[in-house]
Amino acid sequence: VTEMLQYSQSKEGRSWGEPASRFAALRRLGRPDDIADIVAFLCSDEARWLTGTTIPANGGMVTTAANIIAYAH
C-alpha cells in the first residue's frame, strides 16, 4: 500500500484501500515486500528464460481503477 493510497479518501471520508482490496484475489492490497519478492525472482537464475514478458504484480486484481472508484462511492 503506497502512502498516497493509504491516506487518500473518498468524498465520504472512506479509505480507498478497503474497497480496492475486495477486487484482489488475495483480498488485500500489495505491500512493498510483495514487489520485492518478484524483483528478487526476476534477478535470480530461475528467471533466466523470461524475456519480453509482462508480469502483472497486482495480487490477482481483475478490474480497472474506474470500477474501484465507482464502488467506493
Side-chain angles (χ1 to χ4, degrees), residues 13-53:
R14 294 187 300 179
S15 168
W16 294 111
E18 193 267 318
S21 65
R22 293 180 184 170
F23 293 99
L26 297 175
R27 299 291 186 247
R28 66 174 178 78
L29 296 179
R31 298 183 300 253
D33 59 311
D34 295 320
I35 303 304
D37 289 343
I38 296 166
V39 172
F41 168 72
L42 292 172
C43 294
S44 73
D45 285 342
E46 285 79 17
R48 66 187 167 273
W49 281 96
L50 292 177
T51 58
T53 301

